[in-house]
Amino acid sequence: MKTIKKRWAALLLLPALALGGCSAIPSYSSDYGNARQQVVGVTLDQQKADEIGQRFTQAFNRLGSEQFLIDAKALYAEQLFINDTLSQYAQRADLVEHFRGLNARLSNVDVRLLNTSYYNDSAYVHWRMAYDLRMFGTTRTMASYGVSEMKINADGKIIFQQDFWDPADGLYRSLPYFGGIYSWVLPFKKQP
């Protein structure tokens, strides 16, 4: 019975997907490439890269609280390039407003710094994030691994951030209602 309901839901979703497929959604790859060349940060060493990773994970461990919004204003510069794989921002005010929306849906956030490295002015921060997400009247615990490429200005504020993580595993497959359809349309294949 559950399988039949999932198939009906998928069939009802197909017209919406077909219509959505008719409109072009721009790729962010060229934006990333352009910003990566144009935004120049301070030259880093391992110690500075470690500091960036620690400040980033400490701030994001407060995600879901008012303190996080204060920390985010101190972490990011007014003008910036940030792409978190789901959205892209050029102004800190817009980014903080986005974070305000996340604050309303996330709790029990646990961000762990796994390691950092650097190349010239880019820090590469490898992290693991787990959180509880409230959506569609339910709460789900989710977790994801990712890497954020970051550049900072002379004041130590982030002016460039590109997140690399898998939203399919870290979000979409776990969403109430939508996750089942997503998994049915794009199943994960694992070979033993």
Side-chain angles (χ1 to χ4, degrees):
M1 187 69 162
K2 219 176 196 181
T3 303
I4 293 170
K5 285 182 181 180
K6 283 183 180 180
R7 288 197 175 138
W8 273 108
L11 287 174
L12 294 173
L13 186 63
L14 285 176
L17 291 174
L19 289 174
C22 293
S23 64
I25 298 171
S27 169
Y28 66 79
S29 294
S30 62
D31 291 343
Y32 163 68
N34 291 335
R36 190 168 191 272
Q37 287 181 343
Q38 294 170 3
V39 177
V40 178
V42 298
T43 302
L44 301 175
D45 58 22
Q46 188 61 51
Q47 181 180 349
K48 286 181 185 173
D50 290 343
E51 289 170 6
I52 293 167
Q54 289 166 2
R55 285 182 46 231
F56 174 77
T57 54
Q58 285 172 353
F60 274 82
N61 268 308
R62 294 185 187 102
L63 187 57
S65 72
E66 284 301 312
Q67 183 60 47
F68 172 69
L69 299 176
I70 294 167
D71 292 347
K73 289 177 185 173
L75 190 63
Y76 291 98
E78 291 279 339
Q79 305 286 316
L80 52 86
F81 172 87
I82 180 170
N83 185 311
D84 69 3
T85 302
L86 300 176
S87 51
Q88 185 172 303
Y89 297 95
Q91 303 291 322
R92 180 178 65 196
D94 295 330
L95 177 62
V96 170
E97 194 58 33
H98 166 68
F99 289 154
R100 190 176 311 285
L102 287 177
N103 261 2
R105 294 189 307 272
L106 297 182
S107 60
N108 299 320
V109 178
D110 179 33
V111 182
R112 300 201 179 158
L113 177 61
L114 302 177
N115 60 59
T116 59
S117 61
Y118 72 96
Y119 179 76
N120 292 334
D121 65 343
S122 290
Y124 298 90
V125 179
H126 185 198
W127 46 262
R128 179 189 183 273
M129 178 184 278
Y131 54 91
D132 290 342
L133 173 70
R134 288 181 305 280
M135 186 176 270
F136 305 125
T138 64
T139 300
R140 300 277 172 101
T141 299
M142 302 192 185
S144 180
Y145 289 89
V147 173
S148 296
E149 178 184 0
M150 298 180 205
K151 298 180 183 190
I152 59 169
N153 63 18
D155 296 328
K157 296 192 179 220
I158 297 171
I159 55 175
F160 176 93
Q161 180 178 326
Q162 172 67 52
D163 294 342
F164 299 96
W165 65 285
D166 180 8
D169 184 52
L171 179 63
Y172 299 145
R173 286 189 181 100
S174 299
L175 287 175
Y177 311 110
F178 181 75
I181 295 168
Y182 185 90
S183 296
W184 184 72
V185 173
L186 296 168
F188 179 73
K189 298 173 183 159
K190 181 178 177 180
Q191 297 298 316

